[in-house]
Amino acid sequence: MGTITGKEFIERIDRLNTDIWIDGKQMEGKISEHPAFKGILQSKASLYDLQMEKQLKSKLTYLSDDLGEPIGLSFLQPKTKKELKKRRTMIEQWAKHTNGMMGRSPDYMNTVVMAFASSTSLLEGRKNCFPENIQTLYERAKKQDLSFTHTFITPQVNRSQFHFDSSTEPISAKVIDRNENGIIIQGARLLATQGGLTDEVLVYSAGGVIDEDLAYAFSIPSDTIGLKFICRESFVGGDSTFDYPLSSRYEEMDTILVFDHVLVPWNRVFFYDNIEASNQFLLQSSFQSFASHQVITRQIVKTEFVLGVAELLVETINVSEYQHIQEKLAEVIIGLETMKALLAKSEIDAKLDEEGYMRPSMLPLQVASNIFPKIYPRFSEIIEIVGASGMVSLPTEKDFFSAIRTDLDQYLQGANKNAEDRVKIFRLAWDLTMSSFGTRQTQYERYFFGDPIRLSSQLYSTYPKEQYVKQISEFLELNS
Ligand SMILES: Cc1cc2nc3c(=O)[nH]c(=O)nc-3n(C[C@H](O)[C@H](O)[C@H](O)COP(=O)(O)OP(=O)(O)OC[C@H]3O[C@@H](n4cnc5c(N)ncnc54)[C@H](O)[C@@H]3O)c2cc1C
């Protein structure tokens, strides 16, 4: 089959019998028609349709030797720098289409599955490890253009380092039984963005596992029996793209996953009861390099969007002459160019790994992943500061079709824009930063790669500092 159309994607998701709970009710009917999900599903569908466009096909797909059909390029295992660049161009194209707002566009998880499949030798011959199941999943995902969500973390109950979960009923989802059919999972996992809106969910116990029951990884269909997705409140403001230009299109939803005696068949298990594999695979595989390469590419596109919005605000109310405004816009430009330089360096320094795949260099990507969670909240603040009262003087589309239109036309015009366009621009700035959708974006980018504090600790402890210490020691002629 290979690549699918948007329509095929929607039909497939609608056919699933996924157990989704939202606002106190179990979802009924077609997911694609639900007010909380229809916008994001349409946006996702439009990405699949792009793969079918004649002039974009060679940019977004590749011809698989073994399958003989076009496959989404995010599944490509790059063997050369040219192929790595091709991957990036594809990611850029999809991110531009969604203005960098879709953190979980399908290429993110496709990249994760591709990276897992490119590192299976790490699990070869090890206790309770089934690398062949990762390969099978990868082949199936390519062939059917599957989409995934993922859940890597445990419920946020007690994060003290000395806490040991001794509850009789599991809180963090764990293996409670192993039988001839597979492993049985009971408990909960966080936090699957787009949970219930994808074909499958990839579950991985990440981050310092010390209990064998928690040391597992697998992927199962979203409508597996016993699996439930609990949604947060929807941040879709409404259908109007005038009033809610972003949330009406890109509200991704975040979900808690509850496993009630879920049977994960053996052919779906990547590993279980293996603490070492659980703690090492993510770090040693090409997961971090390829996933970060995808993420930084999208974040650059998002920063370009932020810059465009900020500059439009500046022009609309004509405040470019003020130095503090110039300084703030320069902050966004510096962030953008820094991220671009780091991404380029990751490709220039890319190297073939032991499996023969061209891995982008991790260090520049690691630096970028440390920078973005700090600069993105600042970008949001900059837009709020530049926009000032305009961020809340926001009549709706309906107001422009009412008797007060003449007032709006007179009092809400901009320096070089009519009132309607001015309000459109400010509503976009508001949806990007101050609406429930916008504030979630800030939290999302802050925690995308995990806790930013622990990211800095990881950078500090892995960065090769010895040569610099040696230089100073020699300069001072230190003896000890
Ligand atoms: C909008 C959004 C979408 C997300 N989507 C997904 C998704 O699709 N899939 C997925 O798997 N995850 C997702 N996540 C989860 C994300 O990976 C986590 O938020 C992140 O890993 C941090 O974990 P936590 O939220 O449990 O924070 P916690 O670990 O509970 O941290 C809470 C606070 O305590 C501090 N703290 C806790 N432990 C330590 C420690 N050991 N050392 C120092 N400080 C510590 C932290 O710095 C932080 O300030 C999402 C998160 C958000 C906000």
Side-chain angles (χ1 to χ4, degrees):
M1 186 162 73
T3 47
I4 53 169
T5 63
K7 187 167 172 282
E8 284 166 325
F9 164 71
I10 298 254
E11 283 171 359
R12 203 161 67 190
I13 297 300
D14 275 339
R15 267 199 309 274
L16 286 174
N17 196 17
T18 306
D19 189 2
I20 302 172
W21 284 77
I22 179 159
D23 204 20
K25 291 189 207 84
Q26 188 175 29
M27 232 215 62
E28 286 174 0
K30 290 185 173 172
I31 304 181
S32 63
E33 289 172 4
H34 191 284
F37 309 124
K38 63 183 182 190
I40 186 70
L41 285 174
Q42 278 307 326
S43 297
K44 273 179 93 172
S46 70
L47 291 175
Y48 287 105
D49 283 338
L50 278 191
Q51 299 187 132
M52 300 293 171
E53 279 185 22
K54 219 170 172 186
Q55 66 279 23
L56 290 176
K57 214 168 184 144
S58 65
K59 260 184 136 179
L60 301 182
T61 66
Y62 70 103
L63 206 60
S64 147
D65 294 339
D66 44 341
L67 298 173
E69 23 190 23
I71 303 294
L73 226 146
S74 51
F75 287 114
L76 177 72
Q77 296 174 297
K79 296 201 176 86
T80 60
K81 287 193 178 177
K82 200 172 158 202
E83 286 183 344
L84 182 62
K85 198 171 154 206
K86 249 190 132 183
R87 279 186 56 85
R88 193 241 304 145
T89 319
M90 177 268 142
I91 295 161
E92 248 165 28
Q93 184 80 38
W94 264 16
K96 283 193 171 144
H97 188 71
T98 46
N99 299 306
M101 290 296 144
M102 205 190 285
R104 295 286 187 267
S105 50
D107 50 323
Y108 174 68
M109 283 305 296
N110 295 353
T111 298
V112 173
V113 172
M114 178 285 288
F116 276 23
S118 306
S119 305
T120 46
S121 68
L122 292 169
L123 300 177
E124 217 68 70
R126 293 175 67 178
K127 189 187 100 183
N128 300 333
C129 293
F130 309 99
E132 65 279 13
N133 292 343
I134 300 182
Q135 288 297 348
T136 310
L137 175 74
Y138 171 60
E139 293 306 326
R140 197 174 56 248
K142 277 197 308 187
K143 219 171 168 172
Q144 301 176 14
D145 217 352
L146 291 180
S147 61
F148 296 82
T149 181
H150 73 301
T151 164
F152 282 11
I153 69 163
T154 55
Q156 195 186 37
V157 175
N158 184 336
R159 290 285 196 249
S160 161
Q161 288 185 50
F162 307 108
H163 173 68
F164 183 75
D165 182 5
S166 55
S167 50
T168 39
E169 278 297 304
I171 296 176
S172 301
K174 62 177 181 181
V175 181
I176 56 160
D177 201 4
R178 301 114 184 113
N179 61 33
E180 69 274 21
N181 298 319
I183 54 176
I184 312 290
I185 305 284
Q186 176 78 16
R189 284 227 147 239
L190 267 53
L191 177 78
T193 296
Q194 286 201 24
L197 308 181
T198 60
D199 298 288
E200 294 211 4
V201 49
L202 196 152
V203 187
Y204 191 113
S205 275
V209 173
I210 49 169
D211 179 352
E212 273 209 340
D213 297 342
L214 288 164
Y216 58 77
F218 56 82
S219 178
I220 48 175
S222 294
D223 62 351
T224 299
I225 293 169
L227 181 60
K228 184 160 56 211
F229 294 86
I230 302 178
C231 300
R232 61 159 162 75
E233 174 187 351
S234 167
F235 295 156
V236 174
D239 285 347
S240 163
T241 53
F242 180 102
D243 291 342
Y244 310 103
L246 300 177
S247 79
S248 62
R249 295 171 166 114
Y250 307 128
E251 148 65 334
E252 293 192 275
M253 184 52 74
D254 304 293
T255 58
I256 299 164
L257 261 73
V258 175
F259 297 78
D260 183 5
H261 290 84
V262 170
L263 167 71
V264 181
W266 286 120
N267 64 2
R268 291 297 195 141
V269 178
F270 303 161
F271 55 81
Y272 76 105
D273 290 353
N274 190 329
I275 293 177
E276 230 178 48
S278 196
N279 289 330
Q280 289 174 356
F281 187 66
L282 278 193
L283 294 175
Q284 293 174 353
S285 70
S286 53
F287 161 76
Q288 284 194 329
S289 307
F290 284 120
S292 306
H293 185 249
Q294 189 278 345
V295 175
I296 303 300
T297 304
R298 178 192 59 79
Q299 289 175 334
I300 288 170
V301 172
K302 189 170 188 173
T303 307
E304 289 170 343
F305 187 76
V306 165
L307 181 58
V309 173
E311 179 60 12
L312 251 181
L313 288 185
V314 167
E315 289 172 12
T316 302
I317 53 170
N318 200 16
V319 287
S320 65
E321 70 204 66
Y322 303 116
Q323 276 183 334
H324 86 93
I325 299 282
Q326 295 165 5
E327 189 218 11
K328 289 181 173 69
L329 271 283
E331 258 188 73
V332 184
I333 294 167
I334 291 163
L336 175 61
E337 291 301 321
T338 305
M339 295 284 286
K340 279 188 189 170
L342 289 165
L343 181 66
K345 183 162 167 53
S346 81
E347 291 177 11
I348 292 164
D349 293 351
K351 286 203 171 65
L352 279 180
D353 66 14
E354 283 174 4
E355 311 246 4
Y357 300 116
M358 186 57 72
R359 267 193 212 193
S361 170
M362 195 51 215
L363 182 58
L365 296 173
Q366 208 180 348
V367 172
S369 322
N370 269 271
I371 291 176
F372 203 70
K374 297 189 175 76
I375 59 177
Y376 189 80
R378 174 68 180 151
F379 293 165
S380 200
E381 185 184 36
I382 286 172
I383 287 182
E384 290 167 25
I385 293 171
V386 174
S389 68
M391 299 296 284
V392 285
S393 315
L394 297 171
T396 63
E397 186 174 24
K398 279 190 183 150
D399 288 318
F400 278 95
F401 288 95
S402 75
I404 57 167
R405 166 129 205 172
T406 45
D407 289 335
L408 301 184
D409 283 344
Q410 178 64 10
Y411 303 124
L412 287 179
Q413 59 185 295
N416 53 13
K417 297 269 181 301
N418 65 37
E420 195 174 330
D421 284 351
R422 181 188 179 284
V423 170
K424 258 190 197 168
I425 293 164
F426 274 87
R427 287 206 72 99
L428 174 61
W430 164 81
D431 213 9
L432 181 60
T433 57
M434 290 174 63
S435 68
S436 48
F437 174 89
T439 49
R440 180 215 173 255
Q441 289 293 315
T442 304
Q443 191 71 341
Y444 186 63
E445 299 300 357
R446 199 180 262 137
Y447 281 103
F448 194 100
F449 284 107
D451 177 16
I453 300 298
R454 279 167 277 179
L455 284 183
S456 335
S457 297
Q458 198 187 7
L459 178 61
Y460 169 74
S461 43
T462 54
Y463 191 81
K465 303 172 280 293
E466 303 75 22
Q467 54 181 315
Y468 308 114
V469 173
K470 186 165 172 266
Q471 190 185 340
I472 307 303
S473 301
E474 282 170 4
F475 176 66
L476 292 176
E477 298 177 4
L478 299 180
N479 296 315
S480 51

